[in-house]
Amino acid sequence: MRTLRARLSSVVVLSLSLCAALPAAPALATPGPQGCAGSPVAPTVEEQRLSREVPREILRRSGFDSVAPGFVRALCRADSYREAERAVSWHGRRLWERAVAGAQGRGPVGDGLGAADDRPLYWARLGMTRGLRQWQPSFSLSGERRAALLDRLERASRGQDSIAYPPRHKGVKRILVTGFDPFTLDRDIRIGNPSGATALALDGTLIRTADGPARIETAVFPVRWADFADGTVERTLRPHLAGVDLFATVSQGRVGRIDIERHNGAWRGGFPDNENLSSTGTVPVADPASQPQWTTTTLPYDAIVAGATGPFPVYDNTAVTEIPAGATVPVNRPHGPTPGSTARSGGGGNYLSNEIAYRATLLRDRLGLASLPGGHVHTPVLRFGADNTDPATGTVTDPEYVRNRLDIIEQMRGIIRLAAEH
């Protein structure tokens, strides 16, 4: 199998080292009281999974097991809210940059886990959020201010607050790509998400297109209904959409294929998220009175489907589920929604994959950017080898799992390059 560095031979990767890209760690005051991280606050559902053997093994083998303890020590040295803010921002950003560096062959990839593994980032972040919620500072801290620190940590460790492009006069196109955390972890706690791995592998890279170089910036989103209802997608994308040349929201989809999702629906189907919470109903957005039932992709799907981008077949997926105008029963429509219908499932379903596509394309339209190419791409399912499918007895990685992940990343790179040329 080719190494990731070889696979990136056609890509110009940022040459700054991790140390050069990050400021020095904030200098904090003397250590706080013993047991400052000993609050009995119960961990969240996601954080509770950290006690299981698989997350501990992934963190240990990747070297990310030191991330959360180091972060908590920094919090314990903070003697003011301002110092805590600095620690949260620095350690959150450092986690993101470390994961990106490893994914791009500029840092250790872990003990046998293979390149571009998104799982250490996910589990290390949860260790940090658990530590922050259980931290007992030496100063007064309201629940609202602790929530603000948690939000700052989430944004920094997901790349959401570090999206930056060269000046326009440099002649470099701008591309924005998003991915997701792993999900369905109670079904198989070993799994990763190829969209998150793609985001790590592409962040800050340049690709060569027929029209010149293009810079890709990425961010990763949680698999939680509440975060989407709170506007995390819009808050991250709004400052950048008017200035980019292309955007693609990406998530894991169907087995053995890639789908360019033509239509996105304004409906939540209720599948449990990573907190085991469900949400059913119309996608909650600002100004619901003007909310459409459907949005559509502006990605050049015909060119992408026709292009030779990699080993997986690529489809222009036009199917939706709707309640036709004047009816009450949902029906499947293979060729897209009919006039006046009510959405029940977009091409990408009615989970958070569909919702991020709906929110991003609705934001595009509300900003008056109808000609901006953008939409959703579903990757193939990231699968373990045929002899490693049992979550109870299987290993956390295998050669086929690594090869599959790298193949998906490379094909996604090819799709993005092709989209940027049309």
Side-chain angles (χ1 to χ4, degrees), residues 46-98:
E46 282 188 285
E47 293 163 0
Q48 288 174 28
R49 299 186 183 105
L50 280 166
S51 64
R52 298 173 63 178
E53 175 54 34
V54 165
R56 294 201 302 268
E57 180 180 350
I58 290 171
L59 288 171
R60 182 175 63 251
R61 292 177 62 175
S62 65
F64 280 58
D65 54 347
S66 64
V67 170
F71 171 61
V72 170
R73 287 194 296 270
L75 285 178
C76 289
R77 292 192 297 268
D79 64 1
S80 70
Y81 185 74
R82 183 175 181 182
E83 287 190 350
E85 282 185 312
R86 292 169 60 199
V88 167
S89 295
W90 190 86
H91 283 269
R93 179 73 64 85
R94 187 176 190 276
L95 174 60
W96 173 254
E97 294 289 353
R98 179 176 172 179

Side-chain angles (χ1 to χ4, degrees), residues 187-188 190 383-395 398:
R187 182 184 303 166
D188 187 347
R190 303 174 301 161
R383 307 176 77 180
F384 289 98
D387 59 349
N388 188 31
T389 58
D390 186 346
T393 61
T395 59
D398 60 57

Side-chain angles (χ1 to χ4, degrees), residues 189-240:
I189 199 168
R190 303 174 301 161
I191 62 176
N193 193 320
S195 69
T198 296
L200 292 174
L202 299 187
D203 186 55
T205 64
L206 291 172
I207 57 173
R208 301 294 180 182
T209 76
D211 303 319
R215 167 73 168 263
I216 302 174
E217 290 287 317
T218 71
V220 171
F221 286 91
V223 182
R224 296 189 296 252
W225 292 111
D227 294 67
F228 276 54
D230 288 341
T232 185
V233 173
E234 291 83 356
R235 183 170 57 159
T236 301
L237 301 187
R238 183 178 288 108
H240 306 289

